[in-house]
Structure formats: structure tokens, C-alpha cells
Amino acid sequence: MMRRTDRFFATSGSGVPKIIGILNLTDDSFSDGGAYRTVEGAVAHAEEMLSSGADAIDIGAESTRPGAAAQPVQTEIERLVPVIRSLRERQPDCVICVDTRKAAVAEAVLDAGADVINDVSGLQFDPDMAQVIAKYDAGLVLMHMRGTPETMQNEENLLYQDLIGEINSFFEKQIDLAVGAGIRRDRITLDPGVGFAKTVTANWQLVRDAEQFRKHGLPLYYGISRKSFLGREKKPCERDFATAGVLAYLTEKKVEFVRVHEPGAAEDAMRAFAAAMNGGYVK
């Protein structure tokens, strides 16, 4: 039987990206902070997303919105581990991805049954993170960011001479670090970090030029759902139509993974686009 992590990284073959459903366990996330305060409520929402089309669940217990303060390690662990254990018991085949930049948290969640670590710092925040991921033979979402969530939108972190080139240089360096620590190269996916130390113009460039990150030969992972560059004048929950528009574009760019709040709507949008491009045929 194929391991969950191997299944996560396997090509979908459907012509649309794999869908990663977002489950926030924080009080202050920009879109749905505080919505899932209990283990039962969180697991029920994860199951709802799985039934509506999610291929995996991405769970986070520390907000990474601009200006967000870091959470203590123990707080993250106490929020994450009970949910992961309950979800793993109820959905043994579910691929669980955890959004954390702390090695101690990664160790706890991987031991509890998680499969993939989504490190928004791209292995920069904690020098022990790569070794922990390698120890568990887990997957890695390697994201580009400058600074921390508290400082990433400071002026100095928004200045680039060559946005795409600098991100590609970062990816090259951090991929080497990950592989050198023992992480399998075929268990790494690259996230250019839309919304993390980027201006609105830069965010749109990362979407438009997605193919420029193909030079590393690794799958791409985009988290654009409800982000402010889609319409600052609107509330996050009012940006789902704009999200669908960008998801259609990313489908055309053959991006492998998208991280979204509404898996059902995302799947409908991407499958409709793929059908239009292929004369009505979608696997």
C-alpha cells in the first residue's frame, strides 16, 4: 500500500491541482481565526473539507498573517496534537500537513501522525527543523519569506532587485540544505510565498510567472486563498470569487498544489476551467 506521504506527492493525473484544505486553530488568523476552538469542531470541519474535495488538510496553530506575534511552542503543541490524533483516528488515510516553523512542534505533530511540514520560514527560523523532518521521512513545503510574520511587511523586506531570481536563489540554497539534512528531494514542494514579504504587485507577478519556478524540477504549492491582494476593500470571506479566478489561472499553469479555505468551490472552479480547456473532458 502506498504511504500517505507518497500519495500526497504523486501526480494527480486529473489535470487540476491537488487541494489542500485550511484548518486554522488560532484565535487571530486573518480569515477564520477562532472558528474552530474545540477538537470536535476542528475535526468535523476537516472531515467536511475532505468530503467536499480536499486531498489533504493543512492545520495551523500559529497565525502567520502580517504583524502576527509568535506563539509559544507548548501552545502550538497543545492546540495541534489532540486534533491530529483525533483526525488520524477517524480518518486514517487522510494526509495531514502542519503549518509550523518550530522543530519541537514538528517533532510533536509528526509523532502524533502528521505527514508533511509546511514551514513558512523555508527552514530559516529553526536550525533543527530539517533534521526533524528527515528523521520522520516526512514531506516538506518549502516557502519563501523574508523576516517573520511580525516584520515581513516592513519596507526593507519588500524591496527586490529581481523578485523571481532572488526567490529562485533562495529555493536553490534551501533545497540543498534540506537534502543535505536527509530530506528526500522527491518529498519537497516549493511555495513562492504569496503574501509573505511581498507587495500587491509582487504577489500578482508570482501568480503570473509561476512557470519560472520550474527550474528546480519540483512541484509547486500556492496559497492564495482569500488573501488581501485579491481585494483589500473586501472582507476575507468576500474574496472567494477572486480566489476562484486565480485558481483557474494556476490550473492552466499546471501548479500541483493549492491551499484553500473552500475546497468544494475550488474544485468546481478548477475542474470547470480544465473542462473548458479540454473540450469538456476532465479525468
Side-chain angles (χ1 to χ4, degrees):
M1 180 181 293
M2 183 180 288
R3 291 181 58 186
R4 292 187 303 267
T5 310
D6 293 328
R7 192 173 76 248
F8 179 79
F9 284 96
T11 302
S12 73
S14 68
V16 300
K18 288 188 175 180
I19 298 169
I20 317 302
I22 298 169
L23 177 59
N24 286 319
L25 306 182
T26 61
D27 292 327
D28 59 344
S29 289
F30 81 96
S31 178
D32 52 4
Y36 308 106
R37 295 177 181 272
T38 68
V39 172
E40 180 61 32
V43 172
H45 184 57
E47 291 183 316
E48 180 184 349
M49 289 192 289
L50 290 169
S51 67
S52 65
D55 297 285
I57 302 297
D58 182 283
I59 309 176
E62 178 183 66
S63 177
T64 52
R65 62 174 175 75
Q71 293 293 324
V73 167
Q74 195 57 34
T75 298
E76 278 194 68
I77 291 173
E78 289 173 357
R79 289 173 172 173
L80 288 163
V81 168
V83 173
I84 291 167
R85 285 178 175 162
S86 179
L87 181 58
R88 175 60 63 230
E89 180 179 352
R90 286 165 53 165
Q91 299 289 337
D93 295 329
C94 170
V95 176
I96 300 174
C97 179
V98 174
D99 187 335
T100 187
R101 50 195 168 129
K102 304 183 184 82
V105 177
E107 178 109 35
V109 300
L110 290 170
D111 189 61
D115 307 292
V116 180
I117 297 298
N118 181 358
D119 185 348
V120 298
S121 81
L123 302 179
Q124 296 179 104
F125 184 80
D126 192 326
D128 296 325
M129 178 63 91
Q131 286 78 12
V132 169
I133 295 171
K135 173 183 173 182
Y136 285 86
D137 196 21
L140 168 64
V141 180
L142 183 64
M143 199 190 84
H144 175 270
M145 180 175 67
R146 287 176 170 178
T148 67
E150 286 185 280
T151 66
M152 64 185 180
Q153 295 303 109
N154 291 356
E155 184 176 358
E156 66 271 16
N157 288 325
L158 298 175
L159 298 175
Y160 296 85
Q161 296 298 315
D162 175 8
L163 177 68
I164 303 297
E166 289 174 46
I167 294 175
N168 272 326
S169 293
F170 170 85
F171 281 152
E172 186 172 352
K173 176 183 175 183
Q174 298 308 101
I175 291 166
D176 286 346
L177 186 157
V179 173
I183 298 173
R184 286 170 43 181
R185 188 180 179 93
D186 64 356
R187 293 225 169 133
I188 300 172
T189 180
L190 305 178
D191 182 344
V194 172
F196 290 80
K198 313 293 189 308
T199 63
V200 171
T201 300
N203 288 327
W204 285 114
Q205 185 178 354
L206 296 183
V207 171
R208 183 192 67 205
D209 294 338
E211 72 278 358
Q212 296 299 316
F213 302 113
R214 293 291 182 191
K215 63 180 292 184
H216 309 284
L218 294 173
L220 301 181
Y221 185 108
Y222 269 71
I224 55 91
S225 183
R226 296 181 177 175
K227 290 190 174 176
S228 62
F229 82 104
L230 298 172
R232 291 183 181 275
E233 72 285 358
K234 295 185 176 182
K235 297 176 183 178
C237 63
E238 296 173 341
R239 299 172 188 152
D240 286 337
F241 290 114
T243 296
V246 177
L247 291 175
Y249 184 85
L250 294 175
T251 300
E252 195 275 334
K253 291 289 184 176
K254 302 188 185 304
V255 164
E256 285 83 358
F257 302 98
V258 292
R259 182 177 180 272
V260 303
H261 293 87
E262 294 288 346
E267 183 174 43
D268 284 350
M270 294 188 297
R271 284 189 173 276
F273 179 86
M277 292 293 290
N278 294 286
Y281 176 71
V282 181
K283 291 183 181 178

